[in-house]
Amino acid sequence: MCRYGAPRHCATQPGGGGLGLNRGRGRTAGRRGRRAGMAVPVLSSSAVKFRQVLAHFPQELSLAFAYGSGVFQQDGASAGHSENNMLDFVFAVDDSVTWHMMNLLKNKNHYSFLKVFGPKQISNIQSYGAGIYYNTLVPCNGRMIKYGVISTDALIDDLLHWKTLYVAGRLHKPVKILTQNENGKLQAALVSNLKSAVTAAFLMLPESFSEEDLYMQIAGLSYSGDFRMIIGEDRSKVQNIVKPNVPYFQKLYSNILQDCPQVVYKHHLGRLEIDKSPEGQFTQLMALPRSLQQKITSLVDPPGKNRDVEEILLQVAHDPDCGFVVHQGISGIVRSSSIAQSAKTILTAGAKKSVTYSMKKLYKMTKGWLKTTS
């Protein structure tokens, strides 16, 4: 029996559980977002503002969401300041070439010099690194926005397997779903990504921990190994994201925790307990995304031995440093994709915008550092 909140049936099927997928067709985009478990209340900005932004773009989107400090309140920024922050979006599209072709007709000025090469080359460049193409520092409806375009197939692959953890990592945290089509495979992948985040966090946490500890661990997954956390990002970023948004994290993960047979929630202590036995950890390791399992295998298995993945994960499950090995595996995935994607940004944003964007990041990092040392 699951004892996180009220006892209920434990459902562990991929894409199933308490997030309520596929409960009928013809829903509105907002209700579809809630069905995927990620559409949550945001800052005072109304949904109209986001719809006005979307109206500037080709409408052939399988998923669109807004994220970041322009959408959710973060510590260190007043609500008024957040209203002036850049709005960040991700658009998933079924056909990248066609979407960029239509967007070039509508918004050619959003693109760097790469626009002269046409939609096919832009789509080819998109496929490198983390598989997403960003246009940044774009004026739109009186706000500055940044939007990334990723193919639906590449997004599903990252959600299921954590090949780059770039967009999948953003979806570990609360986002504002703006539109989502009736793609059952995408919906199931969104849920699978959240379950994987919980599993990875369990492996890196002690036997007993607070709910906030869990969300801090989850929110930090996509920053592990990211070189921008050394230079370019506020080092308190994870804490700033989680602390003011715990209710949103609860909305995102409560059903998954209720359906998990390995967690016990002690109401009177406000703490969670998980199974840290080798058997429990082996079950969790076997449930991790494929790319992370492969990364862990490469860290543990000496060259030339070529042992079976299950055998290696069983060894890791008995290792006192199991959590550290998992962390190293995640860091390896994030490090590679963040470096490749940042290098690509110089091309996709252009030199001037790249410098401007980097200076804004450095300013935020310095401001956060001064706050922690004052």
Side-chain angles (χ1 to χ4, degrees):
M1 179 184 295
C2 295
R3 285 178 283 175
Y4 182 97
R8 52 180 292 173
H9 177 65
C10 297
T12 57
Q13 307 94 298
L19 296 191
L21 299 183
N22 302 316
R23 292 182 182 168
R25 303 288 179 176
R27 308 291 182 94
T28 64
R31 290 177 72 187
R32 282 196 296 269
R34 284 193 295 274
R35 213 169 56 234
M38 283 175 290
V40 296
V42 293
L43 297 176
S44 57
S45 314
S46 69
V48 173
K49 174 182 68 179
F50 298 113
R51 287 200 295 270
Q52 288 172 339
V53 170
L54 282 188
H56 288 268
F57 298 94
Q59 296 303 294
E60 290 71 13
L61 303 170
S62 60
L63 177 70
F65 64 87
Y67 67 95
S69 60
V71 185
F72 294 91
Q73 181 65 47
Q74 293 186 10
D75 274 356
S78 66
H81 177 73
S82 296
E83 288 293 329
N84 295 321
N85 285 351
M86 184 161 61
L87 290 173
D88 297 301
F89 299 90
V90 167
F91 303 149
V93 302
D94 290 341
D95 184 338
S96 296
V97 176
T98 300
W99 196 90
H100 282 297
M101 179 181 69
M102 292 189 294
N103 198 42
L104 281 164
L105 292 173
K106 292 171 70 80
N107 302 303
K108 194 171 185 177
N109 60 316
H110 292 185
Y111 291 81
S112 69
F113 70 93
L114 293 175
K115 58 179 171 275
V116 302
F117 297 106
K120 188 171 182 180
Q121 286 305 315
I122 287 173
S123 184
N124 286 339
I125 291 168
Q126 176 181 307
S127 66
Y128 287 100
I132 187 167
Y133 187 104
Y134 270 104
N135 284 323
T136 189
L137 295 175
V138 174
C140 186
N141 286 358
R143 292 287 295 270
M144 202 64 77
I145 72 167
K146 176 180 75 175
Y147 64 93
V149 183
I150 186 171
S151 77
T152 306
D153 287 343
L155 174 58
I156 290 173
D157 185 62
D158 196 32
L159 292 169
L160 292 176
H161 306 304
W162 287 11
K163 183 179 178 181
T164 71
L165 254 179
Y166 201 85
V167 180
R170 277 157 177 67
L171 286 163
H172 289 162
K173 298 171 275 290
V175 303
K176 176 65 177 175
I177 298 287
L178 306 177
T179 186
Q180 182 181 344
N181 69 14
E182 295 287 352
N183 182 330
K185 189 175 179 182
L186 174 58
Q187 291 175 343
L190 287 165
V191 178
S192 177
N193 181 50
L194 297 179
K195 290 181 177 180
S196 295
V198 170
T199 302
F202 281 174
L203 284 160
M204 292 186 287
L205 286 163
E207 184 177 8
S208 176
F209 50 90
S210 70
E211 204 171 347
E212 188 174 297
D213 290 337
L214 173 64
Y215 301 141
M216 290 282 286
Q217 194 70 250
I218 289 173
L221 293 175
S222 62
Y223 297 113
S224 303
D226 190 337
F227 78 97
R228 292 171 299 177
M229 294 303 288
I230 301 172
I231 179 166
E233 288 284 7
D234 181 353
R235 295 185 187 183
S236 303
K237 189 175 183 71
V238 174
Q239 180 176 302
N240 293 346
I241 290 170
V242 174
K243 283 189 174 296
N245 295 303
V246 168
Y248 300 159
F249 278 91
Q250 289 173 328
K251 184 176 179 67
L252 198 56
Y253 288 101
S254 63
N255 288 336
I256 290 173
L257 293 171
Q258 288 171 17
D259 291 340
C260 178
Q262 291 184 307
V263 65
V264 174
Y265 181 43
K266 294 194 171 181
H267 298 266
H268 60 294
L269 296 176
R271 299 186 68 81
L272 295 91
E273 290 185 357
I274 53 172
D275 181 3
K276 297 298 286 187
S277 69
E279 295 77 15
Q281 293 194 142
F282 178 65
T283 299
Q284 292 159 9
L285 288 164
M286 290 296 292
L288 291 175
R290 183 179 63 203
S291 294
L292 179 52
Q293 289 181 339
Q294 291 170 342
K295 186 65 72 172
I296 291 170
T297 299
S298 67
L299 288 170
V300 175
D301 200 32
K305 291 196 70 173
N306 298 320
R307 289 185 297 162
D308 160 296
V309 171
E310 188 171 334
E311 180 185 349
I312 294 167
L313 295 182
L314 183 60
Q315 175 189 327
V316 174
H318 284 81
D319 191 331
D321 293 325
C322 174
F324 177 74
V325 175
V326 173
H327 180 267
Q328 289 297 98
I330 292 170
S331 296
I333 293 171
V334 173
R335 186 179 301 110
S336 298
S337 63
S338 66
I339 290 172
Q341 188 64 32
S342 294
K344 190 170 74 173
T345 298
I346 298 172
L347 292 175
T348 60
K352 184 178 178 181
K353 282 187 177 181
S354 292
V355 170
T356 303
Y357 184 70
S358 297
M359 291 304 293
K360 287 178 180 290
K361 286 288 188 181
L362 285 169
Y363 171 75
K364 288 175 72 175
M365 180 192 72
T366 305
K367 187 177 177 182
W369 180 78
L370 289 172
K371 180 184 175 183
T372 58
T373 55
S374 62

